[in-house]
Amino acid sequence: MKKQSFAIQFWKPILILWLIAAAVFGFFAAKLPAKLEGDGFRTDGDYEVVQQELHDTFHFPEQTLLVLFEERNHESSKAFQTNISSVLDEIDQTVSPPAIDSPLEKKEWLKEDIAYAAIHFDDSSKPMDPVIDDVRAILAKEDGISLTGGPVISKDINQASQDDLKRAELIGLPVALIVLLLALGTVVASILPLVIGGMTIIVGFGILSFIADSVDLAIFILNIAPMLGLALSIDFSLLFINRYKEERSRGRSIDEAIRITQAKAGHSILFSALCVFIGLGSVLLIDIDIFKNVAIGGMTVIAVAVIASMTLLPALLKLLGSRIYKGRILRISGNSASRWRLFARFVMKRPVLVALLALFLLGTAVIPVKNMHLAIPAADSLPTTFESRTAYDKIEENFMKDNASTVYAVAERKNGWLDEDGLTVMKELEQKLKQSETVSGVETLFSISGQRDPAVLAASLENPQTAAKLEPAMEGFIQGDKLLFPISLNAEAASDKAQTVVRNWSRDDWPVKITFGGQPKFNQELYDEIFDKAAPVLAVILISTFFILMIAFRSVLIPLKAIIMNVLSLAATFGILVWLFQGGHLGMEPASVSLILPVLVFSLVFGLSMDYEVFLISRIREFYMDTYDNSYATVEGLASTSKIITSAAAIMIAITGAFAFTGVVPVKQIGIGIAIAIAIDATIVRLLLVPSLMKLLGAANWWMPFRKKPKKQSS
């Protein structure tokens, strides 16, 4: 008698433990959204160092809210300005900010019918949500006034992410249930994968809530983790239940069917999860919070999904027994495998033609990739229905359309800056910075005092009266041994010109220690980090996947083919995304592709698509090891798995594609990207390329060094 599996032997304690886990982790899962903040676009570098210096040393505000004022119908200029003054006074009295910059004082912020004010806060530990709520309550009393700024946009993205998650679940889960009913035939069997998916998200969110206490987690994890957790756990469950029912249909007992399913389907699930796990783990090499967050969130829910599929699901099958066949509302046709068998034979009779057709379709889709424009998501991550997005757009359009940006440089000199030697070094730095064509101006003591000679300026500063006049300006530029240079560029912060100049400055030799910050530096560091680490990330994914699949299939060519096909299908996916989003097709609002999308979608989908590759090739290998007939094994493997792979892909597409109806643009792009990639993989790759290439390569598919040649072979 064969030994029972752990899940069968201890099925009752397993069910009890999962119920306890759901209750405990569910309590903490509810706290997760409140612990998420920011968009995750942060990396340790000079930008962060300068930001801290600007705040700690030069007293720049830590957080800033922007209030947009728009003149109401038939309102006089005087009434408009009076209203601005009144509203800002009420904000000052209610939330007591350290400083308010009013357009009544900064005239460049005031136009005939529009103006904006800045409300500054210094305490980074103070939660901004209550402050934002208080300011919004004040502004709600007046027409034509709206609130925006970084903290407001962050808060709105958090709210939009929660709303999007609910909307995606309302769309994706019913579609997934319908697909499960079509695949499994009964209500009870179809509900089981949703139960596993729900448990995965509850426990996964609970674990992430604990992680969020020690690691900064970004808002976007609220969408990415459930997207992956639900899709994979339902996929794993579908594969498991389908194999279990297949074994039961052969007359196996419940315990025997579960044992064989755990050995066969469980093998596929573990290797599939390992591929996805490595794909996500590889992005930890990129030192940007959003990548680390997605990796942590994804790896957490994947681990829970595998554990639930290998313990909770077998325990539930043991509990239900024959009741899994109850609630039949669809009669599953027994001719499904026959139809797929005919299709596989059709493809394998014309392997060259089918392979060329598939490659042509993929190659055509790849073409738009050459026009891909990557951008860092900002306020445009939000849909235009949010006040903070429209207000920010109006401020940018009316007051920031000069295509300029500012770099902040902090220089440090041990002996200070106000003696003649220090001023000479300051002058030297100013002149060197001005040499770049991208620089439109450098603000220093020389530009403010009007004195260009270091010796004359040093003498002037020794005069108490002259020094007293310059003292307010000097405080803004010099604090102890540190000197601040605001450098104006005639290029946008996201432009190649701006990034190139700050990159070159950071590499140059300077007479003193100098560090660069500001938005151009922020963009440059993010772009460089991603592009510098993209190759190592891809290398880790490709090499590790190759060896995992080689071990799983005992073949060299099969994993090599799988990797090449995946790379090609993902390139086609990116081409379609460029056409959709940058081209604004099919009702999409024209937008640049998010900077994070190529690496994230590649690392996510490369592993996800291997899910189907492992399941399909595992079945083909089973048949091949029985017969050593490559053609027969390929046909039978496709016939026995195509329906379930198509169903699993449809569920994945339904859950991830549901995020097409969400508002947060990066999440929308990732969801649609995964859905498109899975659709291409499950159709063009899995149904056309795989069988045609298996036929063309014949017995060579199963070649492995140092392995004895089978006694019987056929192609």
Side-chain angles (χ1 to χ4, degrees), residues 265-333:
H267 174 271
S268 299
I269 288 170
L270 288 173
F271 272 99
S272 301
L274 185 58
C275 289
V276 183
F277 210 80
I278 289 173
L280 281 168
S282 66
V283 302
L284 288 171
L285 294 172
I286 301 176
D287 189 21
I288 297 175
D289 285 358
I290 184 66
F291 288 99
K292 294 177 180 177
N293 286 183
V294 170
I296 291 169
M299 292 165 77
T300 300
V301 293
I302 289 167
V304 177
V306 171
I307 294 169
S309 299
M310 300 300 288
T311 59
L312 177 59
L313 184 54
L316 287 171
L317 290 172
K318 174 69 176 175
L319 172 69
L320 291 170
S322 297
R323 283 170 289 187
I324 194 174
Y325 298 102
K326 290 202 169 185
R328 184 177 297 281
I329 60 175
L330 292 171
R331 182 67 56 184
I332 299 177
S333 172

Side-chain angles (χ1 to χ4, degrees), residues 387-430:
E387 176 188 87
S388 57
R389 161 73 189 275
T390 55
Y392 186 87
D393 286 348
K394 287 177 181 177
I395 291 173
E396 193 173 50
E397 181 181 350
N398 285 277
F399 299 98
M400 303 175 184
K401 283 192 71 174
D402 55 358
N403 295 328
S405 55
T406 302
V407 175
Y408 294 100
V410 176
E412 188 171 358
R413 182 174 179 269
K414 289 182 179 180
N415 298 320
W417 295 94
L418 297 179
D419 58 11
E420 185 176 343
D421 290 341
L423 290 169
T424 300
V425 175
M426 186 189 302
K427 183 71 174 179
E428 182 183 341
L429 295 175
E430 179 188 17

